[in-house]
Amino acid sequence: MSQVETFNPSRLTLARKRRGLTRVALAEMIEVDPRSVSAYENGEFSPDTEKLQQLAKVLKFPAAYFSGPDIEELSPDSASFRALSRRTAGQRDSALGAGAFALLLNKWIEERFRLPAANIPDLGRETSPEAAAMALRRYWDLGELPIKNMIHLLESHGVRVFSLAIDAAEVDAFSMWRDNTPFVFLNTRKSTEHSRFDAAHELAHLVLHRHGAPQGQQAEREANAFASAFLMPRGSVLANARRLPSVEDLIKLKKYWTVSVAALAYRFRTLKILTAWHYRTLAIEISSRGFRKREPEEAQRETSQVLAKVFASLRVDGVSKWDMADEFHIPREEVDQLVFGLATIGLSGDQKRSAQNRRPHLRVLASEG
Amino acid sequence: MQNVVFAEPFNIRDRLAELGLEEGPLLDAIRQGYVAFISCTDNHPPFSKGLIAWAETVRALRDYLVPAGWRRSDQKNYSMVVEPAGRLAIVVATGDDGTGRSETTPSTKAPKGPSTIDAVVINRQLSLFVEPELVLSGELPSEDNDDRETWFLLVHRSQGQVRCELSLPLSMGPDGYINGWKERIILGPITLDGDVFDVNPPAVPDITIPIERRL
């Protein structure tokens, strides 16, 4: 059988990583020697037509995908990954693969639309994450007001927000800079409150760690402290704090800032509203009532304004986001996943329930015939 | 009844110091009991909230004092903490509305139901806290220790505050209520925010993100 002349090795590597597979695992799936997969990816030789069909089948990518131009790949050190220790290499590679397709989707969108430019200051030299959070609030004129919608706030300051539709508790979110454009990927399967904290955490990496600086656990601690202070600024917390609050009190209070009950308790402790034992008591109850896994009285989900507007505008022209997938020969599912929970998926043939469908949504886009 | 009340900050501090105590940690122990109380849910048996609060207060009090050389005693299920020389003991009890008010004479909390003395007498101290329908015939438990003073850390939860005092009972009526105190050291009160409150986030404008179609 003849080899595929136009085969692009880098596209195979990307597809394999996107599926979180090792070369050995992929070789087993298509019943070849691991050496062959290495050779395909190194460009030593290309798979024959039959093997290409098998690759397409097991990786769930269209066969045409493997022949396109190079797709810009993301290296692990280009993105801020949280809790690296809890994440397997496969999960990381898969998330980075999604990131590569997000760059494609973003490029495709930006060819058609002018989106807000990045307005993210470098606050890496602030004295503390708390100070940086306040500095950013001043820079963006937010005062002490609660953040109504984290995704809209990020988007309005030029951050491209995409979904990480990965069903793995280990994967919260990640962010990166690409050609002066900041990207944030959120796991939209988490609770609204959790996702907002993730968004603020990734914002911290964008403003604090753009130029390297701290890595690993220290960077994570800084980002958490920033997120906590950014979502719950000290002044507004002190003004609304309750003395000796119970968990029930916190469940009511958290709605002021739209944060998780656990995050609010922690913030109260940081600001010394709670004593150590009181915080411990609350933390134990929050855990024992399962509130770390299932947020009580969850807030309305946040969605992307940019994606909603872009897709609405394209729809008027009879263009769907799947046209982008088809243009690059990537699975339509990849595009769906990048916008999962962020934009109404109202395109014909798409029966997937987005996370958004869990609540009535009044901004339904024009119905599909 | 002889009744010396310490209600001024300096007097309180000095008298507590003579007993080897400080106000701050005593109030912390009471706060800890209060947090246990408000951490109870409707799924807890109703009577247990006070018991849980009491137990947590006793524990917090011991957590504070045992490292300082005091020892705990649970003889006859009468839970107290005894100072190193053994001349002074503290028990924790819920007080009535007079607790923490220098102008009144407090007692342990009033009974709520008909007499259940038989059951209550089995555990005198628990009854003082939960169902204080207790007949002590004028005598307080002394653990075969005639020269030991048994002080009561009285705690009363009311709207907006927890009032408390550390007091030395002197006499009891036949109904089982303490009706006279030799000394009272008024603590706190611990100020609370009300049970009912509203959360009203300020109006925050929506963000409109301009998206411009390229031609």
Side-chain angles (χ1 to χ4, degrees), chain A residues 276-278 280-281, chain B residues 21 25-26 28-30 32-33 54-73 80-82 90 92 153:
Chain A
W277 57 260
H278 191 173
R280 259 198 319 278
T281 304
Chain B
L21 298 166
L26 288 174
D28 277 346
I30 292 163
Q32 193 160 335
W54 166 78
E56 191 64 23
T57 309
V58 172
R59 174 250 167 117
L61 187 66
R62 288 170 167 179
D63 282 353
Y64 156 44
L65 291 172
V66 170
W70 295 51
R71 62 179 177 83
R72 65 170 181 270
S73 166
M80 51 174 63
V81 59
V82 183
I90 303 174
V92 176
L153 184 61

Side-chain angles (χ1 to χ4, degrees), chain A residues 110-116 146 148 152-153 155-156 242-244 246 249 252 256 277-278 285 305 309 313 317, chain B residues 28 31-32 34-35 38-39 190-194 197 199-202 204 206-214:
Chain A
E110 291 208 47
E111 280 166 4
R112 290 160 177 78
F113 296 89
R114 208 180 309 277
L115 303 184
K148 193 173 190 175
H152 293 181
L153 182 67
E155 289 183 328
S156 70
R242 312 271 308 162
R243 279 168 286 193
L244 294 171
S246 65
D249 291 339
K252 279 178 81 173
Y256 190 94
W277 57 260
H278 191 173
E285 191 184 339
Q305 192 176 135
K309 286 182 171 174
S313 172
D317 299 345
Chain B
D28 277 346
R31 278 195 196 95
Q32 193 160 335
Y34 176 75
V35 170
I38 60 171
S39 297
I190 297 166
T191 309
L192 307 172
D193 294 315
F197 66 97
V199 176
N200 297 309
V204 182
D206 284 319
I207 295 171
T208 302
I209 304 165
I211 306 286
E212 199 185 320
R213 189 82 155 96
R214 293 182 204 268

Side-chain angles (χ1 to χ4, degrees), chain A residues 151-170:
Chain A
I151 292 177
H152 293 181
L153 182 67
L154 290 178
E155 289 183 328
S156 70
H157 292 290
V159 180
R160 309 291 183 255
V161 180
F162 291 101
S163 174
L164 258 181
I166 294 177
D167 231 346
E170 297 81 4

Side-chain angles (χ1 to χ4, degrees), chain B residues 42-62:
Chain B
D42 290 346
N43 284 345
H44 283 82
F47 79 87
S48 70
K49 291 172 119 184
L51 178 62
I52 287 168
W54 166 78
E56 191 64 23
T57 309
V58 172
R59 174 250 167 117
L61 187 66
R62 288 170 167 179

Side-chain angles (χ1 to χ4, degrees), chain A residues 36-86:
Chain A
S36 297
V37 172
S38 295
Y40 300 158
E41 295 194 14
N42 296 336
E44 287 171 46
F45 56 83
S46 303
D48 59 32
T49 319
E50 184 198 347
K51 286 298 167 202
L52 184 77
Q53 291 302 332
Q54 272 182 277
L55 282 171
K57 189 165 174 245
V58 301
L59 292 172
K60 301 193 185 72
F61 273 71
Y65 160 83
F66 295 96
S67 297
D70 282 350
I71 293 175
E72 195 179 5
E73 226 192 312
L74 302 182
S75 61
D77 55 3
S78 71
S80 78
F81 273 111
R82 276 170 93 172
L84 273 169
S85 53
R86 286 190 291 139

